[in-house]
Amino acid sequence: MKADVIQTASPVATPARRAYDPAYDPLVAQNPGTGTDYAPTYWIGTAGEPPEDDGPILHDVEVDVAIIGSGFTGLTTAIYLAQEHGIKATVLEANRTAWGCSTRNGGQAQCASGRLKRSQWIQRWGLDVALKMHRECVEGMENFKALIADIDCDPQPGGHLYIAHRERVMPVLEQEAELLRNTFGYDARILDAQTVRNEWVNDHEAHGAMHEPEGIGIHAGKLAFGYLKKARALGATVHPSSPVQSWESRGGYHYLQTPGGVVKAKAVGVATGGYTSNGLHPEFKNRLLPILSNSIVTRPLTPDEIEACKFYTHQVLTDTRVLRNYYRLLPDNRLQIGSRSAITGRDAPQQKYEDFLRGALHRKFPELTGIPLEYSWWGWVDVSHDMMPRIVQPDPKQTIYYALGYGGNGVMYSAQAGKRLAQWIAGQGHELDLPIFQSRLPFPNVMEKVEAEFFAPFRRLGQRFLYRWYYLKDEVL
């Protein structure tokens, strides 16, 4: 249904673009702003000019479906709503299109959803559910490949190399690879240290690796802009500088107040990722823990530097740290590496977090010690308190739906989540029978035993403790 004017309002000028705020913190700020510029990421710096959008909301409108958030999830939801259900969505974005997670990530599409491994799925839900979860991820990867087939996003296919950063981790990888092969029919294989360092990449920390057959590196900015073009070509409208400032539901409609007018919607899908404000709607308060992740990108490596590092692969790489490093050689021969960062937005701009990544780069590739950096940025990751996403209608009496909580695995799974969120919005969500489709995002918990919103004010205190413990586990014990 095309949006119809329901009330004439005074025209609102397109707001001036506001400067990027490096200290923005979704647990502190009331909202993500209005018309704020992009973070200075490699993806934005090399993607070219953003495609045309539909401009801010400038008057009151009535629509069938409003999507809040114009990142990977929001745009793919709009694409699938149009392609598979004949519904033309109205996408609302507080700042610029794909301003948040979608242009601040590492560009790694892996065959995963959330933070848990297959063996942990079995522990939590049993084998039958774990097998279904695996099929969901494999199907998601196939859907992702199909969705990006006509988008020029510099794909680097071939798989994912999960590198053991310490020798004691290898038995764990071997056990997981055996489980993947024998139980899930997924052709993971183990590589010894010599093979990794001589035939794949000379990561000086590598003590071996597990290679997964599925994994694709993409250019996050080009992908986001490709999704934008595709969604609008299918009839969706995308409105930047249109934050939802208040939300009221009555009489079967949702009234979303933006600076330029009220959007009256029959259904609302929320796809705001790590930038979800606690004040957006009571349903989302304290159900996510936004966590910072940093990335750096070097200048292009010379042929001699590439040979010294034995970068014989462009596949996506991660190591086995709990606070893992993710890295790869980009198509233009720059090296990108990222990891977890500060606890708060206020601390994020501190030089020590960039230096931490420089140190990781130098440990892995001492041949590149002192190499100049061309990009350095950070962004918020939407981590659920039980480490798994939710794509759900939380209250069957309300036409509110959301897809959140990917925990850093959203590049691929956001597309599958968009497909599932579109199913929910189109009235077909009850066909989805996995746990991630059947329950709300949980509140914080203690030792995965006691869950309560009461713990929310102490989350960052717990995060500081866990980061110290993870450091000891990763580097010392």
Side-chain angles (χ1 to χ4, degrees):
M1 171 180 173
K2 188 177 179 181
D4 298 315
V5 177
I6 61 171
Q7 178 182 337
T8 302
S10 300
V12 177
T14 301
R17 192 175 298 164
R18 292 176 169 83
Y20 159 68
D21 177 8
Y24 167 78
D25 190 327
L27 287 190
V28 176
Q30 291 299 308
N31 58 65
T34 305
T36 304
D37 208 351
Y38 290 112
T41 71
Y42 169 79
W43 313 121
I44 291 299
T46 58
E49 281 297 311
E52 185 178 354
D53 53 49
D54 295 282
I57 294 292
L58 296 178
H59 46 67
D60 295 353
V61 296
E62 180 175 351
V63 304
D64 280 345
V65 175
I67 304 295
I68 305 176
S70 70
F72 291 165
T73 303
L75 293 174
T76 55
T77 301
I79 290 167
Y80 282 115
L81 279 170
Q83 282 186 167
E84 300 188 358
H85 307 287
I87 298 171
K88 297 178 181 179
T90 297
V91 181
L92 305 177
E93 167 59 49
N95 297 298
R96 305 190 68 187
T97 304
W99 171 84
C101 308
S102 297
T103 52
R104 308 192 199 194
N105 58 71
Q108 294 196 5
Q110 298 178 20
C111 194
S113 67
R115 301 300 303 166
L116 301 186
K117 299 181 293 186
R118 268 62 168 178
S119 57
Q120 292 171 306
W121 291 351
I122 295 173
Q123 293 170 6
R124 179 171 292 185
W125 295 309
L127 179 58
D128 288 345
V129 172
L131 288 169
K132 288 182 179 180
M133 279 291 302
H134 176 73
R135 287 195 291 273
E136 169 74 4
C137 285
V138 172
E139 179 185 331
M141 182 61 83
E142 293 306 310
N143 287 335
F144 177 73
K145 292 175 186 176
L147 195 61
I148 71 171
D150 59 352
I151 296 176
D152 181 14
C153 60
D154 301 342
Q156 295 174 301
H160 166 228
L161 201 62
Y162 195 25
I163 295 176
H165 76 289
R166 300 183 70 181
E167 188 173 3
R168 64 172 175 78
V169 181
M170 280 303 295
V172 178
L173 284 185
E174 290 165 357
Q175 187 176 18
E176 195 73 18
E178 183 178 4
L179 177 71
L180 288 169
R181 288 193 307 272
N182 297 339
T183 301
F184 292 93
Y186 187 60
D187 189 24
R189 58 193 177 100
I190 292 295
L191 307 174
D192 61 33
Q194 184 176 3
T195 300
V196 172
R197 294 182 61 175
N198 289 330
E199 299 180 17
W200 293 76
V201 58
N202 189 23
D203 180 339
H204 284 243
E205 292 188 315
H207 291 273
M210 179 177 75
H211 183 262
E212 296 184 63
E214 295 289 358
I216 305 173
I218 53 88
H219 189 296
K222 292 180 181 179
L223 179 59
F225 292 168
Y227 283 160
L228 172 59
K229 291 178 183 177
K230 184 171 287 194
R232 294 187 71 241
L234 289 166
T237 59
V238 181
H239 300 276
S241 298
S242 301
V244 175
Q245 299 172 315
S246 65
W247 180 340
E248 183 182 354
S249 300
R250 64 179 188 273
Y253 287 90
H254 305 280
Y255 296 83
L256 309 176
Q257 178 70 60
T258 75
V262 174
V263 178
K264 178 183 177 183
K266 294 179 182 177
V268 179
V270 177
T272 42
Y275 295 79
T276 306
S277 300
N278 260 331
L280 177 62
H281 187 279
E283 177 60 40
F284 307 103
K285 186 177 181 181
N286 295 325
R287 291 186 181 273
L288 282 173
L289 178 60
I291 288 178
L292 279 167
S293 185
N294 270 38
S295 277
I296 56 175
V297 174
T298 69
R299 62 146 169 80
L301 273 57
T302 66
D304 287 344
E305 288 169 336
I306 292 172
E307 181 59 34
C309 297
K310 296 183 180 177
F311 252 114
Y312 302 143
T313 182
H314 279 84
Q315 293 184 25
V316 295
L317 314 169
T318 57
D319 68 22
T320 50
R321 289 174 167 85
V322 180
L323 300 177
R324 68 183 56 175
N325 296 127
Y326 49 90
Y327 44 116
R328 63 181 164 122
L329 188 64
L330 298 168
D332 59 7
N333 290 332
R334 289 179 171 92
L335 179 61
Q336 181 267 341
I337 183 169
S339 188
R340 291 293 180 258
S341 181
I343 303 291
T344 68
R346 181 189 62 217
D347 292 338
Q350 293 181 18
Q351 182 63 36
K352 68 179 182 180
Y353 297 108
E354 181 182 298
D355 292 342
F356 172 79
L357 280 180
R358 284 180 182 270
L361 172 64
H362 297 162
R363 286 195 309 272
K364 292 179 178 299
F365 306 106
E367 300 86 356
L368 303 180
T369 298
I371 188 172
L373 303 181
E374 293 193 349
Y375 295 91
S376 178
W377 73 89
W378 48 93
W380 294 94
V381 178
D382 54 328
V383 178
S384 69
H385 293 109
D386 71 348
M387 301 297 172
M388 290 299 291
R390 295 297 192 282
I391 304 91
V392 69
Q393 179 185 19
D395 181 351
K397 298 177 182 178
Q398 292 273 5
T399 52
I400 299 172
Y401 312 85
Y402 63 77
L404 297 165
Y406 310 135
N409 277 314
V411 173
M412 179 282 284
Y413 196 72
S414 59
Q416 183 72 355
K419 181 182 177 73
R420 298 311 190 196
L421 186 57
Q423 284 182 249
W424 271 113
I425 293 169
Q428 300 174 13
H430 298 289
E431 302 171 4
L432 303 173
D433 61 356
L434 289 170
I436 61 173
F437 305 129
Q438 296 178 326
S439 62
R440 286 176 162 96
L441 285 165
F443 287 122
N445 65 76
V446 174
M447 305 297 290
E448 298 186 1
K449 297 185 182 298
V450 181
E451 176 195 333
E453 191 173 10
F454 169 81
F455 299 124
F458 310 103
R459 285 177 291 175
R460 285 188 164 165
L461 180 63
Q463 188 182 353
R464 291 183 189 279
F465 171 80
L466 283 174
Y467 274 20
R468 291 190 180 98
W469 165 241
Y470 292 155
Y471 174 80
L472 290 173
K473 190 174 181 180
D474 286 339
E475 314 296 347
V476 179
L477 300 179

